Amino acid sequence: MKAIKLFLIALISPILFSSCTADVIVHDDYNPNTGNISLPQLMEGYDLWYVDYDLTTGSGDVPFLTRAFTISFVNGTLYANNNLAGIGYTGNGFGVRIGSYNYFTNAIRAYHNIYGTYDLDVYQISPNKIKLHSYSQNVTYYLVGYQRNTFDYNRLFNDNIRYFLQEYKAWEKVYTSRWGALNDFDNENFIQFVAGGSSNNFRSSRDLRGTPVNNLYWDFTGLYGIFNTSNPYNKILTLDYDFWGNESFTLSVINDHRIRLYHNASGTTYEFEGRGFIQYMKQSPQEVKKTAPVKELVKL
């Protein structure tokens, strides 16, 4: 991801897809005027399939869909945008390669590089909306098709910014403005936004700048919140320090590894850089289960 204007909002094992085509299972209320469409034409007719996680039904889980913002089917190779840092230009907007796929009658067999093989029945709801159902996992996902040149990467980024904050092991303070009143937060040099779990937990450290991430001693653990403002490029970030109260900041993103925090009470501006980027889907399965957040995606 480039500067804020552009800022907008795993491991390949290529297998050529089968040359056979199949009629799409059509939802009862969809009657396309153009007649039948083959499954490859449907799935590859859109650059990106946005996973509308809010609509997911069932008790199971297909991990690579749950953890993806978008999925793409490109000539037998499966791509996904699992991270917000770099979204819009990583893999030319497709994201990273996460596996491969084959077509079967009304279904796709996906071979994920970490999670293995999943059979997904495909149902077309409208020209650019489908549902993918896994009988083995008892779960159904709803996806919306977009072309890269019309997809709103910027909105996706902004509406899911808490996941961006979780994509680094720590954020290190690299700048403090000369203006602004002295305050307790002046002494905090590192922040971590903890990935996973149902609570928004953060940790902070007063270790000296330049301390390696793995050597940090976390002095405090608390809860954080992120709230919208009238400016779509700014958020309100609150850090709950029980012993001195809540700290409120206006959060803005400078680029995909640097953020600005304006301390609303003192008028001090801080800048933090991300340390230890977490590329989701490239860890071992055990690490992914422990660290990868379940994305509660916004509707586009």
Side-chain angles (χ1 to χ4, degrees):
M1 190 176 64
K2 299 178 185 174
I4 197 163
K5 301 185 174 168
L6 231 134
F7 121 137
L8 307 159
I9 107 149
L11 326 174
I12 183 167
S13 161
I15 300 176
L16 293 177
F17 63 85
S18 168
S19 60
C20 64
T21 62
D23 290 341
V24 178
I25 301 175
V26 178
H27 194 279
D28 290 342
D29 60 3
Y30 175 52
N31 296 302
N33 296 324
T34 56
N36 291 335
I37 182 173
S38 72
L39 191 53
Q41 287 174 324
L42 173 66
M43 302 308 296
E44 299 174 17
Y46 293 95
D47 293 334
L48 305 167
W49 288 97
Y50 167 74
V51 184
D52 194 343
Y53 192 76
D54 289 340
L55 299 181
T56 303
T57 59
S59 58
D61 179 43
V62 176
F64 72 89
L65 286 174
T66 299
R67 289 161 173 80
F69 290 106
T70 70
I71 292 286
S72 297
F73 301 86
V74 184
N75 298 327
T77 300
L78 193 61
Y79 292 84
N81 277 301
N82 298 312
N83 286 85
L84 288 172
I87 198 167
Y89 75 87
T90 298
N92 291 321
F94 290 114
V96 296
R97 299 173 181 177
I98 61 170
S100 57
Y101 63 93
N102 284 336
Y103 292 115
F104 294 90
T105 302
N106 302 322
I108 288 176
R109 177 166 291 171
Y111 306 90
H112 191 270
N113 293 326
I114 292 176
Y115 294 111
T117 302
Y118 288 87
D119 288 342
L120 302 165
D121 287 345
V122 182
Y123 297 83
Q124 185 176 13
I125 300 172
S126 72
N128 72 324
K129 294 183 180 180
I130 60 173
K131 64 179 182 179
L132 299 181
H133 178 70
S134 169
Y135 281 98
S136 65
Q137 300 300 312
N138 186 33
V139 62
T140 300
Y141 296 87
Y142 290 81
L143 284 68
V144 183
Y146 291 90
Q147 305 302 346
R148 284 173 295 170
N149 61 351
T150 59
F151 185 72
D152 197 342
Y153 292 100
N154 182 56
R155 180 179 175 189
L156 179 63
F157 187 103
N158 282 286
D159 287 346
N160 293 280
I161 201 166
R162 77 182 184 96
Y163 296 111
F164 168 66
L165 297 177
Q166 295 172 7
E167 289 176 2
Y168 290 91
K169 293 180 180 178
W171 291 87
E172 180 180 4
K173 185 187 291 178
V174 294
Y175 169 79
T176 302
S177 64
R178 294 183 179 181
W179 57 91
L182 294 175
N183 66 91
D184 291 316
F185 193 76
D186 287 337
N187 300 314
E188 305 296 318
N189 289 326
F190 294 88
I191 306 174
Q192 180 188 68
F193 299 91
V194 183
S198 56
S199 298
N200 291 339
N201 292 305
F202 81 94
R203 302 197 292 183
S204 64
S205 172
R206 297 187 173 191
D207 284 348
L208 295 177
R209 297 181 194 179
T211 302
V213 173
N214 292 335
N215 295 339
L216 290 172
Y217 174 78
W218 299 105
D219 304 286
F220 181 80
T221 298
L223 297 177
Y224 72 94
I226 296 178
F227 308 94
N228 292 328
T229 69
S230 57
N231 183 339
Y233 295 103
N234 291 337
K235 302 286 183 181
I236 296 298
L237 169 69
T238 60
L239 303 179
D240 184 6
Y241 286 91
D242 353 308
F243 49 88
W244 78 62
N246 279 2
E247 296 285 11
S248 172
F249 304 88
T250 299
L251 163 68
S252 56
V253 176
I254 299 173
N255 55 42
D256 62 3
H257 59 87
R258 191 170 179 126
I259 60 175
R260 178 178 293 119
L261 299 181
Y262 174 80
H263 192 253
N264 294 317
S266 70
T268 306
T269 297
Y270 307 98
E271 291 183 8
F272 286 78
E273 285 198 350
R275 301 287 184 248
F277 178 61
I278 302 170
Q279 177 73 71
Y280 291 119
M281 301 299 117
K282 284 193 176 179
Q283 307 106 312
S284 69
Q286 293 79 13
E287 290 173 319
V288 171
K289 288 177 183 176
K290 287 168 57 178
T291 64
V294 174
K295 295 173 169 58
E296 299 162 355
L297 300 183
V298 297
K299 296 179 180 178
L300 289 179

